[in-house]
Amino acid sequence: MSDSSEDIIVCENVSKWFGDFRALHDVSIRVKKGEVVVVCGPSGSGKSTFIRTINRLEEHQQGRIIVDGIEMSNDIRNIDAIRREVGMVFQQFNLFPHLTVLQNVTLAPVWVRKKTRKESEQRALELLERVGIVEQALKFPGQLSGGQQQRVAIARVLAMDPRIILFDEPTSALDPEMVKEVLDVMKTLASEGITMICVTHEMGFAREVADRVVFMDRGQIVEEGTPEHFFTNPRHERTKLFLSQIL
Amino acid sequence: MATAAPPVQKTTIPFWRDTRILAILFQVLFVVLVVGVLWFFYTTMMAGLRQANLLPSFAFLSQPASFSIGESVIAYDPSNTYGYALLIGVLNTIRVAIAGVILATIIGIILGISRLSENWLLRNVATVYVEIVRNVPLLLQLFMWLALTQTFPRQQDSISIFGLIYLHNRGVTMAWPETGSDFGAWVPWLWLGLLAGIAFYVVRRIQFARRDRPGVAMPQAFLLAGAIVTIGYLFVGLTNGEWPLSLSIPELQRFNFVGGIGLTPGFAALLAGLVIYTSVFIGEIVRSGIQAVNKGQREAARALGLTPGQTLRLVIFPQALRIMIPPMTSQYLNLTKNSSLAVAVGYPDLFSIAGTTLNQTGQTVPVIMMVMAAYLTVSLVTSLFMNWYNKRIQLVER
Amino acid sequence: MATEVSQSQTRAPQPGIDVPGWLRKNLFSTWYNSLISIVLLVIVFQVVTGFFQWAFTTEGWIAAASNGRLILVGRYPAAELWRPQLALALVGLLLGLSGGVWRGIAQALTIGFAGMMLVLTALWTQLPPANPPAPLTTELVLVGIAVLVGGAYAAGRAGGERLRWPIIAGWFLAYPTIILILQGFGGTTVPTNLWGGLMLTMLLAVSGIVLSFPLGVLLALGRRSNLPVVKFFCVVYIELIRGVPLITVLFMAQLMLPLFLPSEVRIDAVVRAVVAVTLFSAAYLAENVRGGLQSIPKGQVEAARALGLNVVKTTLLITLPQALKAVIPVLVGQFISLFKDTSLVAIIGLLDLLGVARAINTQPEWLGFPGGVWRETFFVVAVIYWIFSFTMSRSSRQIEANLNRGAR
């Protein structure tokens, strides 16, 4: 598994500034195909910013990002290609409120992948079935609960057949009783071999599903390792402090 | 800072796919397009004007205007220059705008409060009035007012309103404060009152701040200033036997009125139209401003034992004011811009004098540019002020 | 059953309708309320009786009545009157279909429209006969349109959802079609300087919104663009136009537009007014649309971009539809002010609804009337303006309420 050709995401010394504030400080990481990486850290540590650079929602100013062999640069062709391969699930769901659930899921396949409407609808219904809300297909997002909305958002991402999915605190905006239904869907995905990077505070999920846990603080990767190692034997003081606060 | 962002890394991308270069290219194209169109207009216009021997120039500003102006704030004679005539126009616009803003605000506040009154009749009369006035074009209302002033009788048969206001075919004559010969003696008292009021206010505020207690200083400051000014008024009046300021009541002499202040039909119609039209919109702003203040605030004030009047004055109005000021300002701007309809009722405002100038000199472009620049200045200065004000309010809220 | 009983018991006892109690509560609760009520009663009584006395005794109505055609279509040639009638029928057809399909506000507007046709018919029968008599009497046409509206409404109800998109397409095509009908093509054309009255007013207002729409949306997008040059230009345009009165823009279009264009290009006063109104309205529309764009959370764009949609697709599929839906009530409000503001073209000599009223007042026939006929003519025209803008403002409030309910 140490073969570098299996690395689907390669970040080398990625740095990002917001004005004078350095949000990312030489972040380097390699993610293998099928790997599930959980990123955690205190708020403001740059973990969201980091995963947002992977699909260019934030522009990095230094270092290299290579996704699935494509270099992230100012080349719009590369940016578009990477965005087609990388799906993203947001904290606030960001479903399109003026479209039905079904339209939300078929939008990108029709307009970006140029699939026929019929084909995409069929696939969308399959995916909605898979996340367990096929009966809501014709409703508008506003009529669904938070947990249901987040599952629609996952189906919407899956409809593009991404090789990588980024999760940006997918359960933070949910009421406690809805967290499980979303985590369950994520666990299924993880077991199916999709590469996932999740920013989350759900340490139970990390322990159970993650191949690797990355701890970030002040824009840097402080520590990374297997969940077992990370939770039982953290090396850095900052990691210990964080774990003591969160567990 | 030592951590400033380093220069962008160099990569080899064909330029038609590089987002940065595309952005610049698009903007260059945009500029070329806009400037091209404007340049086309400009050259066509200049060619046409050259043929007509009317090349734009501002030289006309120093030539004699040789037209008369119906009314002006400062002395004007047809031998004055066009530039001076336009200045008269600006002053006339300012005059009607200021009068309009003051009156529209007063009537608007009354309307807004009436719309929320507990009195069923008052509330509904105000609603009907608002719905009628705001759904009819201002220009039509101005025409109606102008036509109405034309039906007024001759001066000798003026319609009198309580002997203070007279309506007649030359316009409106009404009572107006008039300064006496001893006004100068009163001026120091006015200054004294003003300074004392300010001093009192500042001292009280400092006291409150020091003791860290809330308090109201404004009403007392006004009271103090008012008292000083009144004492001064009485003192000057009683010692000299003539009041420094008195109400001059118009009296009908053989041919015309003496005393008071006269408004031309055009000014009266314009003012009436602007005030009535704008006050309705101001009334709606006042109403929604008051309604927007949290209901809890009202209940809390009532629970503290404040009377409805006190609640409105001390709790609701100060908060509503903050919400109301931005839309209010835009109504004031609207009123000022709408005052350009003066041209339809024969009041010599900036726009109407500019129209005459334009007809006489043929200098279309410079005149229109100047008029637009004048209105634009007022609007921009106001919106700069508003931005400043909004920022200040936001700071206070933090 | 038990819950029902307890519910009826917990509800507060309904105060009976008791006249003295109502009066005391609503009119005479305090001494100053009593004073206000009495004074207002006297004023209202005076105004209402005065109004009716004037309305029923004056003979000036004849001026407006005998100029019915001038008020509605201006100096549009009598032989070509079928054109505006056809245009009206087209609007009626679309409105009827919409009313049938959407119900709600559209239905109310449909009923109002048909009702107006019938009221106009009734008024028309009171008028002196046209000279020369028109081939198809106006009454017949108006009744015909009313019937057409009814038929279209029934068809709309029968057709239901299937007709949705065809109707929307129809509305989009209606504007150019109507312009084409009114102007005429091929053989006979009616020059725009003969258009007038209510028709011209409506046309200016609708053109102002329809034509300024693309420009306004582009300006709004430009003002939010992160390309500094584009943003700068849009800000300058918007602030420049919003900073000056409409009348200056109208004058500029009248006087400077002919200078800007080569002398072979001739455009008449109505087209120039349309250009002015469009340029003016675009700046205001841009600000309204910008408000809508600002109300959309940033996450919407991010989600769209993350799905791989490019800037253009994101704008067309995600941001604009949401922004426009959010600002519909504001846009109706803008249309109302534009509808009233078009009256300013009367100053530059066009015969719109207000211009026609002024023209009627100065007709020599009415010189004998004591005090002139301006009261009656202006009143009629004011009522026309009022009906339209009041109806629109009520509809927009209804739309707003519906949108708010939908957003919940």
Side-chain angles (χ1 to χ4, degrees):
Chain A
M1 286 295 276
S2 62
D3 185 0
S4 68
S5 68
E6 291 238 358
D7 290 333
I8 195 165
I9 300 174
V10 178
C11 297
E12 281 174 4
N13 299 326
V14 173
S15 292
K16 156 110 194 135
W17 284 259
F18 290 112
D20 282 339
F21 173 70
R22 190 165 189 178
L24 293 179
H25 204 290
D26 290 335
V27 174
S28 298
I29 193 173
R30 286 167 176 267
V31 179
K32 291 186 183 56
K33 209 172 274 180
E35 201 176 6
V36 177
V37 177
V38 165
V39 182
C40 60
S43 64
S45 60
K47 42 192 201 311
S48 281
T49 310
F50 168 58
I51 68 164
R52 285 157 64 89
T53 57
I54 296 175
N55 67 349
R56 235 324 155 89
L57 285 184
E58 302 288 353
E59 198 176 320
H60 64 290
Q61 285 131 344
Q62 206 174 48
R64 300 175 73 195
I65 299 176
I66 297 162
V67 181
D68 204 12
I70 308 166
E71 163 120 39
M72 177 74 75
S73 62
N74 291 325
D75 188 337
I76 45 172
R77 187 182 289 179
N78 287 6
I79 297 173
D80 287 346
I82 290 175
R83 281 187 177 150
R84 277 196 294 269
E85 298 307 322
V86 182
M88 187 164 202
V89 176
F90 297 86
Q91 181 179 358
Q92 297 295 342
F93 331 133
N94 293 344
L95 293 181
F96 305 128
H98 61 303
L99 303 176
T100 62
V101 165
L102 190 63
Q103 288 169 328
N104 262 283
V105 180
T106 55
L107 182 84
V110 170
W111 288 95
V112 180
R113 289 257 191 248
K114 310 283 180 200
K115 287 191 190 169
T116 64
R117 194 166 292 275
K118 202 162 201 172
E119 196 185 342
S120 347
E121 277 180 4
Q122 206 171 352
R123 171 99 173 103
L125 290 174
E126 277 170 36
L127 290 168
L128 289 173
E129 178 86 64
R130 200 163 131 195
V131 298
I133 35 176
V134 72
E135 67 280 7
Q136 317 279 11
L138 296 179
K139 287 194 181 167
F140 284 92
Q143 298 165 298
L144 305 186
S145 74
Q148 289 172 324
Q149 291 196 44
Q150 195 60 296
R151 285 186 281 155
V152 174
I154 294 175
R156 177 172 75 174
V157 165
L158 290 176
M160 285 292 282
D161 297 316
R163 313 191 61 171
I164 302 157
I165 303 182
L166 309 171
F167 291 86
D168 189 0
E169 306 204 23
T171 53
S172 300
L174 295 178
D175 292 334
E177 73 270 20
M178 294 169 184
V179 170
K180 187 175 173 297
E181 62 188 62
V182 172
L183 288 181
D184 284 345
V185 172
M186 288 168 65
K187 282 176 197 163
T188 327
L189 291 179
S191 68
E192 286 168 5
I194 296 179
T195 312
M196 291 166 58
I197 302 185
C198 316
V199 172
T200 182
H201 294 300
E202 295 295 329
M203 290 303 137
F205 173 80
R207 218 187 278 261
E208 190 181 334
V209 181
D211 296 314
R212 190 157 31 132
V213 180
V214 173
F215 175 70
M216 284 183 77
D217 192 18
R218 293 176 214 163
Q220 281 172 308
I221 293 183
V222 176
E223 183 163 355
E224 57 179 305
T226 60
E228 204 182 63
H229 169 83
F230 183 81
F231 287 111
T232 52
N233 190 18
R235 265 169 297 160
H236 283 265
E237 280 309 309
R238 278 191 263 170
T239 322
K240 284 176 192 161
L241 181 67
F242 175 73
L243 287 174
S244 72
Q245 284 165 343
I246 202 162
L247 290 176
Chain B
M1 295 288 284
T3 54
V8 185
Q9 55 188 346
K10 288 215 175 81
T11 42
T12 48
I13 311 165
F15 73 88
W16 62 88
R17 270 171 26 204
D18 189 318
T19 47
R20 284 159 213 259
I21 296 179
L22 280 178
I24 294 170
L25 268 182
F26 181 76
Q27 297 190 65
V28 169
L29 204 72
F30 182 84
V31 170
V32 168
L33 203 74
V34 169
V35 170
V37 170
L38 292 179
W39 181 252
F40 170 75
F41 285 161
Y42 179 74
T43 47
T44 332
M45 180 181 83
M46 289 309 272
L49 289 176
R50 196 171 292 121
Q51 250 176 10
N53 207 12
L54 270 176
L55 278 181
S57 114
F58 286 93
F60 71 93
L61 284 177
S62 53
Q63 289 161 5
S66 62
F67 59 83
S68 56
I69 295 178
E71 58 189 300
S72 64
V73 185
I74 52 175
Y76 170 83
D77 185 89
S79 64
N80 288 127
T81 60
Y82 280 113
Y84 190 76
L86 288 169
L87 176 70
I88 300 284
V90 172
L91 292 177
N92 277 342
T93 294
I94 293 174
R95 175 168 167 239
V96 75
I98 289 178
V101 162
I102 293 171
L103 291 175
T105 308
I106 295 169
I107 298 178
I109 291 173
I110 295 173
L111 264 179
I113 295 173
S114 304
R115 288 263 272 157
L116 296 169
S117 165
E118 288 174 2
N119 186 319
W120 180 89
L121 189 64
L122 181 60
R123 194 169 66 228
N124 283 287
V125 167
T127 307
V128 170
Y129 177 82
V130 166
E131 289 296 354
I132 289 176
V133 171
R134 76 163 167 196
N135 286 317
V136 174
L138 171 60
L139 187 59
L140 175 51
Q141 296 186 31
L142 286 176
F143 282 151
M144 284 172 151
W145 287 111
L146 184 69
L148 189 71
T149 62
Q150 285 161 357
T151 63
F152 289 160
R154 296 176 309 151
Q155 290 199 327
Q156 287 86 333
D157 315 316
S158 289
I159 306 166
S160 159
I161 302 173
F162 305 124
L164 295 174
I165 303 172
Y166 291 91
L167 310 177
H168 47 77
N169 60 1
R170 300 255 193 93
V172 177
T173 308
M174 62 181 192
W176 196 251
E178 183 189 49
T179 56
S181 57
D182 288 327
F183 185 75
W186 190 39
V187 170
W189 290 90
L190 292 177
W191 280 110
L192 187 67
L194 180 72
L195 293 177
I198 292 174
F200 177 84
Y201 180 78
V202 171
V203 167
R204 286 296 283 173
R205 286 265 84 155
I206 292 171
Q207 276 182 350
F208 288 138
R210 207 169 275 161
R211 284 190 231 140
D212 200 20
R213 273 178 50 188
V216 186
M218 198 56 111
Q220 289 96 318
F222 270 112
L223 217 62
L224 180 70
I228 292 174
V229 168
T230 314
I231 291 168
Y233 181 78
L234 293 174
F235 179 78
V236 173
L238 292 175
T239 49
N240 296 5
E242 192 197 358
W243 298 112
L245 189 72
S246 56
L247 195 64
S248 158
I249 294 166
E251 262 175 86
L252 186 63
Q253 303 287 337
R254 185 184 284 258
F255 295 113
N256 51 4
F257 281 95
V258 171
I261 188 173
L263 310 178
T264 58
F267 182 81
L270 182 64
L271 190 63
L274 286 176
V275 164
I276 286 176
Y277 191 72
T278 314
S279 65
V280 161
F281 291 91
I282 290 180
E284 289 301 280
I285 293 169
V286 170
R287 180 178 70 104
S288 56
I290 292 175
Q291 278 178 334
V293 174
N294 195 338
K295 203 178 157 215
Q297 293 282 326
R298 215 164 304 179
E299 283 165 357
R302 295 299 291 275
L304 286 172
L306 297 176
T307 65
Q310 283 173 326
T311 310
L312 192 66
R313 198 155 37 89
L314 298 175
V315 179
I316 297 175
F317 223 74
Q319 295 188 57
L321 204 61
R322 202 179 267 188
I323 307 169
M324 282 162 11
I325 281 183
M328 207 79 134
T329 318
S330 88
Q331 282 307 321
Y332 292 161
L333 275 181
N334 279 350
L335 187 144
T336 311
K337 286 189 275 175
N338 282 336
S339 73
S340 59
L341 297 184
V343 71
V345 293
Y347 174 71
D349 79 322
L350 170 62
F351 187 77
S352 124
I353 289 181
T356 316
T357 308
L358 193 152
N359 280 338
Q360 291 193 4
T361 59
Q363 288 290 354
T364 317
V365 184
V367 171
I368 289 184
M369 292 294 142
M370 281 173 67
V371 172
M372 285 184 135
Y375 284 108
L376 203 59
T377 312
V378 176
S379 302
L380 289 183
V381 167
T382 314
S383 58
L384 283 180
F385 169 76
M386 279 318 297
N387 287 346
W388 171 81
Y389 176 82
N390 280 336
K391 274 205 190 101
R392 210 184 76 110
I393 288 278
Q394 275 163 8
L395 281 180
V396 173
E397 272 174 357
R398 232 178 252 163
Chain C
M1 288 309 269
T3 51
E4 217 168 58
V5 171
S6 73
Q7 249 175 17
S8 71
Q9 276 169 348
T10 50
R11 191 173 292 162
Q14 285 283 320
I17 300 163
D18 149 34
V19 173
W22 185 91
L23 285 177
R24 179 165 309 151
K25 182 169 177 289
N26 288 300
L27 294 181
F28 303 104
S29 57
T30 57
W31 66 266
Y32 58 82
N33 264 334
S34 309
L35 188 70
I36 292 173
S37 300
I38 291 166
V39 171
L40 275 180
L41 266 178
V42 172
I43 295 177
V44 168
F45 180 79
Q46 288 285 337
V47 168
V48 171
T49 50
F51 172 77
F52 279 106
Q53 208 165 10
W54 164 72
F56 287 113
T57 55
T58 180
E59 290 176 357
W61 298 117
I62 182 71
S66 56
N67 282 297
R69 202 178 91 201
L70 197 63
I71 290 175
L72 291 181
V73 295
R75 291 182 293 143
Y76 206 87
E80 302 292 329
L81 271 183
W82 60 272
R83 293 172 182 279
Q85 286 165 355
L86 183 62
L88 191 65
L90 187 64
V91 171
L93 177 74
L94 281 169
L95 192 62
L97 283 171
S98 313
V101 173
W102 277 280
R103 317 281 173 80
I105 310 152
Q107 182 175 306
L109 289 176
T110 309
I111 295 167
F113 185 85
M116 209 159 68
M117 292 301 118
L118 295 176
V119 170
L120 272 178
T121 316
L123 284 175
W124 225 263
T125 53
Q126 305 299 312
L127 297 183
N131 190 33
L136 252 175
T137 60
T138 311
E139 295 96 312
L140 218 59
V141 172
L142 290 173
V143 172
I145 292 176
V147 171
L148 177 74
V149 172
Y153 175 75
R157 286 197 72 151
E161 290 293 300
R162 268 177 304 144
L163 289 174
R164 226 187 176 133
W165 287 104
I167 294 174
I168 292 177
W171 278 114
F172 270 99
L173 291 176
Y175 176 75
T177 313
I178 286 175
I179 298 284
L180 216 60
I181 292 174
L182 291 179
Q183 197 167 27
F185 45 91
T188 50
T189 55
V190 183
T192 45
N193 57 18
L194 294 182
W195 302 10
L198 178 61
M199 186 180 89
L200 180 61
T201 294
M202 287 305 280
L203 226 92
L204 284 171
V206 172
S207 304
I209 286 288
V210 172
L211 299 180
S212 74
F213 197 83
L215 184 59
V217 169
L218 283 179
L219 282 168
L221 291 172
R223 192 167 185 172
R224 282 174 59 82
S225 156
N226 41 23
L227 305 177
V229 173
V230 177
K231 185 176 177 173
F232 173 78
F233 174 81
C234 294
V235 169
V236 167
Y237 179 86
I238 292 170
E239 293 305 325
L240 183 82
I241 296 289
R242 282 162 45 91
V244 300
L246 172 58
I247 185 75
T248 57
V249 181
L250 277 171
F251 257 71
M252 196 169 109
Q254 289 302 312
L255 298 172
M256 284 171 70
L257 211 55
L259 297 176
F260 283 159
L261 298 170
S263 47
E264 311 87 66
V265 186
R266 293 270 173 114
I267 46 176
D268 70 73
V270 170
V271 180
R272 275 178 272 169
V274 167
V275 171
V277 167
T278 305
L279 293 178
F280 183 77
S281 169
Y284 286 81
L285 201 132
E287 281 302 270
N288 291 337
V289 173
R290 187 167 74 109
L293 287 170
Q294 269 171 343
S295 70
I296 296 170
K298 225 176 106 198
Q300 291 289 311
V301 177
E302 290 181 349
R305 301 308 308 274
L307 282 172
L309 295 165
N310 62 24
V311 184
V312 177
K313 281 178 192 161
T314 304
T315 307
L316 290 181
L317 296 171
I318 306 299
T319 36
L320 261 190
Q322 293 186 51
L324 292 181
K325 193 179 166 195
V327 297
I328 288 174
V330 188
L331 292 186
V332 178
Q334 197 196 331
F335 182 72
I336 299 170
S337 8
L338 194 62
F339 176 74
K340 289 185 290 169
D341 281 347
T342 55
S343 60
L344 264 60
V345 300
I347 297 182
I348 55 171
L350 294 191
L351 282 180
D352 74 323
L353 192 49
L354 184 56
V356 160
R358 284 218 295 179
I360 293 173
N361 288 343
T362 53
Q363 283 169 349
E365 297 98 293
W366 324 119
L367 287 180
F369 282 74
V373 292
W374 63 270
R375 288 184 189 83
E376 294 77 14
T377 334
F378 280 151
F379 182 79
V380 168
V381 168
V383 166
I384 297 177
Y385 274 114
W386 188 86
I387 289 174
F388 277 97
S389 41
F390 184 74
T391 314
M392 285 187 285
S393 71
R394 276 296 143 105
S395 325
S396 104
R397 248 175 269 174
Q398 194 62 46
I399 295 171
E400 203 173 353
N402 289 355
L403 282 180
N404 286 342
R405 211 176 308 140
R408 247 195 316 176

